[in-house]
């Protein structure tokens, strides 16, 4: 290995060619790097234009190459520095175009000699051979054919420097070319014969310079194939289609490879993928690598379906339902179940030699169970930190068996999960749907959208006695975008205050974001704060089944919102049922636990009997008494910290002692909730004042 200082002139002068190898990423520089480079060039140009003719060179970084001997042509493979060389070539091409326009023939010819080798033909004529993705665009630039087939970073770079030069009319083109070719320098490193360029690539990038892991993995795999010709053929057959399916996004491709490697039930952290693959396949034969590339390419088809289910069309009712379920899960799950879904879709693929083992109906049942798991836990406020562990368990169970799980096996595993991984039961799910806020301001509210849209789809699938109203045609030319609308609006007008009655403030505070007060409608900002009669008229026009019954409602107050919450909650339980469990599990879960009920399922027939808080026992008969005694105990024992509780639940406490039925000190507070909400609130209150939740123990009978 020898390292020297080299100017751009040294790099381009003479019959040379720089080829970007197959394993490297395409051109990825963006405006940030272009602006920095142009700033350096302008600064160097100003130094050259000044009085002091002696000025230091500007270093751009390193260029590492390995020489390939060819008659009458110095040919090099670029190991590091392709982004710099490609960008400099594009800048020179822009200067050449302006030189031609201004009749600067000598400058035009000189730059043409830099960019193309004469009298070579074919690829031999180009000084820079980029990756396959970038060839078409860069060759168009070298050939002065500025009609591009599609946008790319290469084209964006060309446009950027064209724009900069077009607005820099004061710059002398000859002087600018001199600055670039003579004042811009690199550390030029040429590898000696016998040095492994792939190892150098890994050392330069993986251990220092940021690079996506997919680039390193591509380098690793193709270096294991027998020769360059085979590598290029397999790249075209497997790797390139995979990259195109995943939008040529190296971050996305790295994520796919991580999930692909995790489908055996082994968790892999971000940033550890390359090391895991290198350790596992460093002694693999070329045939093993080829099989792996083929399987990865096929799995990338499944991954695209998981990420972009809305981009595909279902050919049957089951297929359409599968894509819909994948779409809903994708919106709310942050792609955590992807490793398990890769196994699921592979077992369903009839074109796969190992596939065709799961029918479309079975796949849909598995997805429905997973969807219920996410929806129920999210509604009930369960932590999302457990999901990777859950799908690691599912993947391991599949790998230990036939490579997949049947619908019954998946349901059984999900149903058998214990806290903190467990699936909420119908009562807890219903409690939270009725009494908790579903809508959260300042968030995307994907969960609320998914629930409301699925309810609308469910209602629309039921037999309908009437045809859509004629006025629905008003929406045919309108945007199809739907918005979540608060029936009782977020900002109350005088009309709404009068409509809600004397307890308007508490109704607005308590019920605003609950399921019963939310609906979908056509996008229309003017209706958001409209009067109830105006809203009903608007809902009648949008023809959504979710709003079909609104026209018959005279008032929209506490009772109506709570009633609608209960009705919609019942439909949610039907749409997202609890995964069926074997009879033995059902019988087991129906037994009332004898110990402290700080976690786990609370059977519907359970009745509270004794509450122990820090050694003091409070006899209780009803669930609201559990919350009352917990709040009063904290008020008595931690009066200075009690304000933390009030701040945490501002909508549940009032300075008006007559507002709510339960009282503590100068406050009245709400205490009528479902059993799960009461337990969660009590434990949260205990934690708020700095106590260990072990001091709180509830027993039931």
């Amino acid at each position: 290995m020898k390292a020297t200082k080299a100017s751009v002139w040294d790099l381009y002068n003479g019959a040379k060619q720089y080829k970007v190898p197959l394993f490297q990423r395409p051109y990825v520089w963006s405006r940030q790097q272009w602006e920095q480079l142009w700033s350096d060039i302008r600064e160097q140009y100003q130094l050259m234009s000044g009085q002091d003719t002696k000025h230091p060179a500007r270093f751009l970084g390193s260029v590492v190459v390995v020489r390939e001997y060819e008659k009458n042509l110095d040919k090099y493979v670029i190991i590091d520095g392709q982004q710099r060389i490609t960008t400099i070539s594009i800048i020179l091409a822009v200067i050449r175009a302006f030189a031609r326009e201004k009749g600067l023939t000598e400058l035009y010819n000189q730059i043409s000699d830099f960019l193309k080798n004469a009298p070579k033909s074919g690829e031999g004529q180009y000084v820079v051979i980029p990756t396959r993705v970038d060839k078409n665009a860069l060759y168009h630039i070298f050939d002065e054919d500025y009609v591009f087939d599609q946008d790319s970073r290469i084209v964006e770079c060309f446009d950027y420097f064209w724009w900069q030069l077009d607005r820099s009319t004061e710059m002398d083109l000859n002087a600018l070319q001199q600055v670039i070719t003579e004042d811009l320098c690199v550390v030029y490193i040429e590898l000696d014969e016998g040095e492994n360029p792939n190892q150098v690539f890994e050392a330069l990038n993986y251990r220092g310079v940021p690079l996506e892991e997919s680039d390193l993995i591509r380098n690793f795999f193709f270096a294991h194939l027998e020769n360059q010709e085979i590598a290029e053929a397999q790249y075209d057959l497997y790797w390139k289609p995979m990259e195109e399916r995943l939008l040529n996004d190296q971050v996305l491709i790295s994520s796919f490879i991580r999930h692909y490697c995790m489908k055996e039930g082994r968790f892999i952290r971000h940033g550890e993928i390359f090391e895991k693959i290198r350790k596992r396949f460093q002694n693999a034969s070329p045939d093993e690598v080829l099989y792996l590339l083929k399987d990865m390419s096929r799995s990338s088809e499944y991954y695209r379906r998981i990420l972009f289910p809305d981009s595909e069309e279902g050919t049957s009712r089951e297929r359409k339902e599968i894509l819909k379920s994948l779409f809903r899960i994708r919106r709310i799950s942050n792609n955590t179940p992807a490793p398990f879904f890769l196994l699921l879709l592979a077992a369903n693929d009839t074109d796969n030699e190992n596939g065709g083992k799961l029918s479309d109906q079975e796949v849909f049942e598995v997805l429905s169970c997973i969807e219920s798991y996410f929806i129920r836990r999210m509604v009930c406020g369960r932590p999302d930190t457990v999901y990777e562990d859950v799908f690691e368990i599912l993947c391991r169970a599949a790998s230990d068996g036939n490579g997949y799980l049947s619908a019954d096996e998946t349901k059984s595993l999900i149903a058998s999960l214990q806290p903190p991984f467990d699936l909420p039961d119908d009562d807890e799910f219903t409690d939270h749907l009725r009494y908790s806020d579903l809508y959260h301001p300042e968030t995307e509210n994907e969960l609320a959208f998914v629930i409301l849209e699925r309810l609308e789809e469910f209602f629309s699938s039921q037999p309908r006695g009437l045809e859509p109203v004629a006025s629905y045609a008003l929406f045919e030319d309108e945007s199809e975008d739907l918005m979540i609308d608060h029936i009782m609006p977020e900002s109350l007008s005088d009309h709404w205050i009068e409509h809600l009655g004397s307890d308007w403030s508490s109704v607005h505070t308590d019920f605003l974001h609950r399921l019963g007060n939310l609906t979908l409608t056509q996008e229309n900002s003017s209706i958001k704060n409209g009067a109830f009669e105006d809203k009903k008229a608007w809902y009648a026009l949008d023809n959504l089944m979710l709003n079909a019954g609104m026209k018959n409602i005279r008032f929209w107050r506490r009772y109506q919102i709570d009633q609608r919450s209960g009705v919609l909650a019942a439909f949610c339980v039907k749409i997202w049922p609890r995964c069926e469990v074997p009879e033995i599990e059902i019988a087991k879960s129906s037994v009332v636990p004898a110990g402290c009920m700080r976690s786990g399922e609370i059977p519907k027939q359970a009745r509270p009997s004794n509450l122990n808080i820090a050694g003091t026992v409070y006899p209780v008969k009803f669930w609201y008494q559990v919350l009352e005694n917990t709040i009063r105990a904290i008020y008595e024992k931690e009066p200075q910290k009690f304000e933390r509780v009030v701040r945490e639940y501002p909508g549940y406490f009032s300075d008006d002692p007559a507002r709510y039925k339960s009282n503590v000190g100068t406050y009245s507070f709400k205490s009528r909730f479902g059993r799960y909400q009461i337990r969660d609130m009590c434990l949260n209150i205990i934690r708020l004042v700095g106590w260990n939740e072990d001091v709180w123990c509830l027993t039931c009978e």
Side-chain angles (χ1 to χ4, degrees):
M1 180 185 296
K2 55 185 178 182
T4 59
K5 171 186 174 183
S7 65
V8 171
W9 179 281
D10 297 326
L11 294 177
Y12 285 83
N13 191 35
K16 295 180 179 178
Q17 187 176 77
Y18 298 97
K19 182 178 181 180
V20 180
L22 182 69
F23 56 74
Q24 284 203 27
R25 59 184 170 184
Y27 184 73
V28 296
W29 271 18
S30 60
R31 191 180 184 95
Q32 180 182 356
Q33 289 80 29
W34 303 332
E35 287 179 345
Q36 181 60 56
L37 178 57
W38 183 247
S39 176
D40 291 344
I41 291 172
R42 286 192 66 91
E43 186 175 332
Q44 205 66 21
Y45 180 89
Q46 291 169 359
L47 288 173
M48 189 195 73
S49 303
Q51 298 296 324
D52 188 2
T53 56
K54 295 181 180 180
H55 49 274
R58 175 82 62 167
F59 275 89
L60 300 179
S62 63
V63 171
V64 183
V65 300
V66 59
R67 186 167 186 173
E68 292 184 349
Y69 292 92
E70 186 173 312
K71 189 177 180 180
N72 300 324
L73 184 64
D74 291 335
K75 198 169 183 178
Y76 303 91
V77 174
I78 305 174
I79 306 303
D80 187 61
Q82 67 129 324
Q83 308 291 327
R84 300 180 185 91
I85 286 182
T86 303
T87 307
I88 291 297
S89 300
I90 293 171
I91 296 174
L92 289 173
V94 172
I95 297 174
R96 180 184 63 174
F98 276 76
R100 181 177 184 175
E101 185 179 319
K102 294 184 178 182
L104 302 175
T105 306
E106 184 178 349
L107 177 60
Y108 171 84
N109 291 333
Q110 187 179 56
I111 296 178
S112 293
D113 291 341
F114 282 151
L115 300 179
K116 300 182 75 172
N117 295 312
K120 298 282 185 180
S121 60
E123 284 199 341
Q125 66 183 305
Y126 301 113
V127 171
V128 178
I129 307 294
T131 59
R132 296 188 173 215
V133 174
D134 297 325
K135 277 185 180 180
N136 189 44
L138 193 61
Y139 289 171
H140 271 287
I141 292 172
F142 288 162
D143 293 337
E144 301 179 81
D145 175 12
Y146 306 130
V147 179
F148 303 104
D149 297 334
Q150 59 186 12
D151 288 336
S152 69
R153 286 290 175 87
I154 293 283
V155 176
E156 291 176 16
C157 177
F158 180 78
D159 289 341
Y160 174 80
F161 286 106
W162 186 291
W163 172 70
Q164 287 288 10
L165 202 55
D166 189 47
R167 62 201 289 261
S168 303
T169 54
E170 78 286 356
M171 298 183 80
D172 179 79
L173 294 180
N174 283 288
L176 179 61
Q177 184 262 359
Q178 182 180 343
V179 165
I180 292 172
T181 56
E182 297 181 14
D183 289 1
L184 300 185
C185 298
V186 298
V187 177
Y188 180 81
I189 302 173
E190 186 174 328
L191 301 185
D192 296 328
E193 187 175 355
E195 292 182 282
N196 189 327
N198 300 308
Q199 290 180 353
V200 174
F201 176 76
E202 292 172 15
L204 286 169
N205 294 286
Y206 182 63
R207 300 170 191 169
V209 181
L211 192 73
E212 280 302 320
E213 291 191 287
S214 59
D215 298 307
L216 294 164
I217 293 166
R218 181 177 60 240
N219 162 48
F220 176 80
F221 281 151
F222 287 102
H224 273 66
L225 298 181
E226 294 175 356
N227 55 55
Q228 184 70 13
E229 184 177 346
I230 291 177
E232 290 189 6
Q234 301 308 316
Y235 173 85
D236 286 339
L237 192 58
Y238 298 124
W239 194 275
K240 184 180 178 182
M242 180 185 75
E243 289 187 317
E244 290 174 348
R245 287 185 199 106
L246 302 180
L247 312 179
N248 290 306
D249 183 335
Q250 297 305 315
V251 175
L252 196 58
I253 295 167
S254 295
S255 178
F256 159 65
I257 297 173
R258 173 176 175 258
H259 286 138
Y260 175 85
C261 294
M262 286 171 58
K263 63 182 182 164
E264 293 182 355
R266 297 186 183 93
F267 177 75
I268 301 175
R269 299 182 186 278
H270 292 282
E272 296 179 356
I273 315 166
F274 175 64
E275 275 301 327
K276 295 285 186 183
I277 285 179
R278 180 161 62 176
K279 288 179 181 178
R280 184 174 178 183
F281 296 103
Q282 59 185 351
N283 297 318
S285 67
D287 287 341
E288 289 176 304
V289 172
L290 280 176
Y291 178 82
L292 182 64
L293 288 172
K294 181 180 179 181
D295 191 55
M296 286 180 63
S297 184
R298 181 175 291 277
S299 292
S300 70
E301 297 178 18
Y302 312 144
Y303 200 71
R304 177 178 175 83
R305 197 175 306 155
I306 294 166
L307 291 180
F308 313 112
D310 53 327
S311 66
E312 301 193 19
E313 293 185 5
T315 54
S316 65
R317 185 188 66 82
E318 289 85 0
R319 283 280 175 179
K320 291 177 181 178
E321 293 303 321
I322 287 171
L323 294 175
K324 288 178 184 178
S325 185
L326 283 171
F327 180 67
R328 289 190 292 268
I329 294 171
R330 177 76 177 95
R331 290 178 69 178
I332 61 176
S333 71
N334 200 25
N335 210 26
T336 311
F340 180 65
F341 286 173
L342 288 175
L343 295 173
L344 180 70
L345 296 180
N348 173 247
D349 186 1
T350 54
D351 294 330
N352 186 347
E353 57 185 15
N354 296 318
K357 299 172 182 177
L358 287 179
S359 67
D360 288 350
Q361 181 59 35
E362 285 180 291
V363 171
F364 177 63
E365 288 181 27
V366 172
L367 291 175
S368 296
C369 179
I370 300 299
E371 186 180 334
S372 290
Y373 181 72
F374 277 115
I375 292 288
R376 285 177 171 244
R377 285 185 61 91
M378 293 179 73
V379 165
C380 296
R382 300 291 185 88
D384 59 4
T385 53
V386 305
Y387 293 146
E388 286 186 329
D389 294 329
V390 169
F391 288 101
E392 183 179 345
I393 292 170
L394 293 176
C395 287
R396 194 179 304 122
S399 297
D400 291 344
N402 299 318
Y404 65 94
L405 293 180
S406 67
D408 287 343
E409 289 170 334
T410 304
K411 293 175 184 177
S412 179
L413 271 171
I414 292 293
S416 67
L417 292 172
Q418 300 299 310
F421 311 108
D422 59 314
L423 176 67
D425 68 6
D426 291 350
D427 293 323
E428 183 181 1
F429 187 40
T430 301
D431 280 352
H432 282 274
L433 284 168
R434 289 196 65 177
Y435 304 119
S436 297
D437 289 347
L438 180 61
Y439 185 93
H440 301 280
E442 310 303 326
T443 70
E444 295 294 327
N445 282 295
E446 289 290 359
L447 177 63
F449 265 113
V450 166
I451 288 176
L452 291 170
E453 288 172 354
R454 184 67 183 92
L455 283 167
E456 171 61 27
E457 181 184 353
F458 177 82
F459 295 149
S460 299
S461 67
Q462 305 306 304
R464 300 170 66 174
L466 296 174
E467 292 298 318
V469 293
S471 51
Y472 179 68
L474 291 172
F475 291 104
E476 289 182 355
D477 297 326
E478 299 285 339
S479 167
E480 294 183 358
D481 292 337
L482 297 177
M483 69 175 187
I484 293 179
D485 188 43
H486 290 75
I487 303 171
M488 172 181 61
E490 294 178 275
S491 298
L492 294 181
S493 63
D494 291 340
H495 166 83
W496 266 105
I497 291 175
E498 181 180 352
H499 180 89
L500 291 172
S502 59
D503 60 345
W504 65 269
S505 180
S506 64
V507 173
H508 191 254
T509 300
D510 297 341
F511 290 87
L512 176 63
H513 299 310
R514 290 192 188 178
L515 172 61
N517 191 50
L518 304 176
T519 193
L520 293 174
T521 189
Q522 298 285 342
E523 188 75 45
N524 183 0
S525 57
S526 64
I527 202 64
K528 287 184 177 181
N529 296 319
F532 185 50
E533 291 300 322
D534 295 335
K535 283 177 173 279
K536 288 200 299 180
W538 177 262
Y539 298 152
L541 296 176
D542 65 20
N543 200 40
L544 295 176
M545 293 303 296
L546 197 59
N547 303 324
M550 295 299 296
K551 60 185 178 181
N552 299 320
I553 299 176
R554 293 182 58 195
F555 301 103
W556 195 250
R557 296 171 179 165
R558 179 193 301 269
Y559 172 78
Q560 287 79 14
I561 299 174
D562 185 57
Q563 185 183 50
R564 186 169 182 265
S565 291
V567 171
L568 295 182
F571 280 110
C572 287
V573 170
K574 185 174 182 179
I575 293 170
W576 292 287
R578 196 167 192 265
C579 297
E580 294 180 4
V581 296
E583 286 186 3
I584 185 171
E585 293 293 337
I586 297 174
K588 183 179 177 181
S589 66
S590 66
V591 177
V592 178
C596 295
M597 301 189 67
R598 283 190 290 267
S599 63
E601 186 175 347
I602 306 176
K604 191 171 184 179
Q605 71 273 23
R607 293 291 180 265
S609 57
N610 288 293
L611 175 65
N612 188 319
I613 303 177
T616 303
V617 178
Y618 303 87
V620 289
K621 290 185 177 181
F622 303 103
W623 283 102
Y624 74 87
Q625 293 175 339
V626 176
L627 183 58
E628 282 183 340
N629 282 289
T630 301
I631 289 176
R632 288 167 182 163
I634 295 300
Y635 182 81
E636 293 170 3
K637 297 177 185 294
E638 297 282 4
Q640 294 181 338
K641 297 180 180 179
F642 187 74
E643 287 301 318
R644 297 181 188 176
V645 179
V646 177
R647 288 195 298 270
E648 178 72 9
Y649 299 101
Y652 296 169
F653 286 86
S654 173
D655 293 329
D656 180 0
R659 180 173 177 183
Y660 300 119
K661 295 181 179 180
S662 302
N663 296 86
V664 61
T666 59
Y667 295 104
S668 64
F669 62 92
K670 295 177 62 175
S671 58
R672 271 60 174 177
F673 300 102
R675 61 189 186 281
Y676 285 101
Q677 260 197 306
I678 286 176
R679 181 181 67 182
D680 292 346
M681 286 179 64
C682 289
L683 291 173
N684 190 44
I685 288 169
I686 293 291
R687 290 188 290 265
L688 279 173
V689 297
W691 290 8
N692 189 306
E693 62 182 43
D694 290 342
V695 305
W696 188 92
C697 179
L698 174 66
T699 56
C700 295
E701 59 184 21

